[in-house]
Amino acid sequence: MKALIQLILSAAVLAGTVFVWAKYVPEAAPMLERYGLASYLGIEPQAANAQGGAAGGRGGPSGPIKVVTMPVTEGVIDNRLEAIGDGRAIRAATLRAEVSGTIVAISAPEGGYVNAKDIVIRLDDEAQQIALERARLTLEDARAETGRLQQLSGSGAVTQVRIRESELALQNAELTLREAEFDLAQRVIRAPFSGWIGVLDLSVGDRISSQDAISTITDRSSILIDFRVPERAVSQIVVGLPVSVRRLGVDGEEIEGKVSAIDNVVERDSRTLRVQALVDNGDDTLRSGMAFSVAMNFPGATLPAVDPLSVQWSSDGSYVWTVREGKSVRVPIAIRQRNADSVVVDAELVAGEPIITEGVQQLRPGAEVEQATPANPTPAPAQPVS
């Protein structure tokens, strides 16, 4: 007995559900009429035709379906490429001693700024000073001897061979003086260009050997960022292309820069190309060795853009409704980019074509529609969002 009662209740619930579905879902009445079930549920054929509309796409006795449309616009696909790069100063040099010696003076401030040719370290140079004075005396003597012999050459008291020997001695004295001046200059280490000098782990009295590294001087008025891009983007990158740079792992504003150099070989193992970007560092907040996130935008293809409210979904994918010759047409779409006020799609649509944004619940292919005036009939052109 309980099983029979449950069976009757289930049948009643099922019948009620079918009736409600047939009563309030427009697509249900034509289907029930097609299978001859409308009469059993008390739905007249006229009602079925009124709910589903006449065959062949007519709007039925109730007239065309009122819809709101918005025109198709054009949108540009925003191709954005991001990479991680390492920063370094636009110029950098390691200061080294050319000769051995004892430090007698340190002129540059540690971690401070120095101008080009400023003295950084001075080595003991007493022996070189003595050699320079001796070379000067030798040069003066050679000049005097050469001048005396040239005056006597007119009287025949001096041979041409003797005069030639004195001239050769004069030239050797000049070279000796130049060598002494060079040796003395080697006792002074100067900044090769203007920039910031690093920490000096040296003190007065320390002895250094030739080729010992003293410190690093950097010109960080601009920062070069080395990064790599995949080979698919090689044809789109050119010198001067704008880039947006942000310190990796640090919240802050993006810094604008530009591509300054492009390598000429794609690395075979990684299939990437080395690129350099130049960023201004006038506020001196960036340092060599920092990691940066580099972003570049490339102009992409121009595609149709539709209102986000017009995009519908089904088991076959996304689609929109458009109006062609006064009737609704279902057009499949492939979404390529979502923006703040539009959706860029790949579909058989043309700019200016009306796309239905309101009233899509009652639409079916070929139904007659009546376009209503939208609240904002002239939408703004689609703008990509980075």
Side-chain angles (χ1 to χ4, degrees):
M1 181 62 68
K2 291 182 178 180
L4 180 60
I5 294 175
Q6 291 179 354
L7 182 60
I8 294 173
L9 290 176
S10 299
V13 171
L14 179 61
T17 302
V18 173
F19 181 81
V20 172
W21 173 66
K23 188 71 174 176
Y24 295 100
V25 177
E27 293 82 357
M31 184 181 299
L32 294 174
E33 178 66 21
R34 189 182 309 117
Y35 292 101
L37 300 177
S39 59
Y40 292 100
L41 297 175
I43 300 176
E44 297 298 331
Q46 294 82 0
N49 293 336
Q51 292 181 24
R58 304 296 297 173
S62 59
I65 302 172
K66 293 185 177 181
V67 295
V68 176
T69 62
M70 294 286 286
V72 176
T73 58
E74 291 184 343
V76 178
I77 296 294
D78 183 17
N79 291 333
R80 184 179 178 89
L81 176 65
E82 294 190 2
I84 303 301
D86 296 322
R88 59 185 179 89
I90 189 173
R91 287 191 296 178
T94 300
L95 299 181
R96 298 181 183 274
E98 297 294 334
V99 295
S100 300
T102 302
I103 298 175
V104 296
I106 298 177
S107 304
E110 295 190 35
Y113 187 84
V114 294
N115 294 312
K117 304 302 181 181
D118 282 356
I119 296 177
V120 178
I121 287 178
R122 188 185 296 274
L123 303 178
D124 60 304
D125 57 1
E126 185 174 355
Q128 287 72 29
Q129 292 283 4
I130 294 173
L132 179 61
E133 291 299 325
R134 181 180 293 111
R136 286 173 178 169
L137 293 174
T138 302
L139 178 60
E140 291 178 1
D141 183 65
R143 284 174 178 171
E145 179 67 13
T146 301
R148 185 178 66 83
L149 293 177
Q150 288 177 346
Q151 291 178 355
L152 296 175
S153 61
S155 61
V158 180
T159 64
Q160 290 298 321
V161 174
R162 183 72 182 91
I163 294 176
R164 178 56 184 164
E165 289 177 349
S166 67
E167 291 176 348
L168 183 60
L170 176 60
Q171 293 176 359
N172 285 329
E174 291 174 346
L175 292 176
T176 302
L177 177 62
R178 289 178 56 187
E179 183 180 11
E181 291 174 342
F182 176 78
D183 291 341
L184 181 61
Q186 294 290 88
R187 314 302 290 184
V188 176
I189 301 171
R190 299 177 182 271
F193 51 82
S194 299
W196 299 84
I197 194 166
V199 176
L200 298 171
D201 294 327
L202 298 170
S203 301
V204 174
D206 287 343
R207 182 171 181 80
I208 59 176
S209 301
S210 61
Q211 299 304 314
D212 281 352
I214 297 173
S215 183
T216 300
I217 183 172
T218 58
D219 177 8
R220 58 176 187 251
S221 57
S222 296
I223 297 295
L224 280 174
I225 302 176
D226 286 311
F227 62 98
R228 292 186 172 273
V229 299
E231 61 179 352
R232 62 179 175 82
V234 169
S235 60
Q236 296 177 290
I237 296 180
V238 295
V239 174
L241 180 71
V243 299
S244 297
V245 178
R246 182 174 53 84
R247 291 173 58 188
L248 195 63
V250 179
D251 294 334
E253 297 182 358
E254 290 187 345
I255 306 171
E256 299 301 323
K258 62 181 180 180
V259 174
S260 60
I262 303 173
D263 204 353
N264 60 347
V265 177
V266 174
E267 189 178 71
R268 182 173 299 177
D269 294 336
S270 63
R271 296 299 178 187
T272 58
L273 180 70
R274 181 187 177 190
V275 180
Q276 286 185 344
L278 186 65
V279 178
D280 181 68
N281 190 32
D283 54 0
D284 199 38
T285 58
L286 307 179
R287 294 290 185 274
S288 180
M290 285 182 172
F292 296 90
S293 173
V294 184
M296 295 172 289
N297 293 323
F298 306 107
T302 300
L303 296 174
V306 300
D307 191 283
L309 296 177
S310 66
V311 179
Q312 304 296 313
W313 296 87
S314 69
S315 58
D316 297 330
S318 55
Y319 64 93
V320 295
W321 291 100
T322 183
V323 180
R324 295 173 181 172
E325 298 180 355
K327 297 180 181 180
S328 60
V329 177
R330 178 169 167 169
V331 180
I333 62 172
I335 297 176
R336 293 290 179 254
Q337 179 174 298
R338 292 184 179 272
N339 300 324
D341 56 355
S342 67
V343 179
V344 181
V345 299
D346 187 0
E348 295 182 359
L349 299 171
V350 296
E353 186 174 1
I355 297 296
I356 300 175
T357 58
E358 298 181 26
V360 296
Q361 294 81 3
Q362 303 179 20
L363 294 178
R364 70 185 185 285
E368 290 187 354
V369 296
E370 178 182 347
Q371 300 182 50
T373 303
N376 182 16
T378 55
Q383 296 293 335
V385 175
S386 300

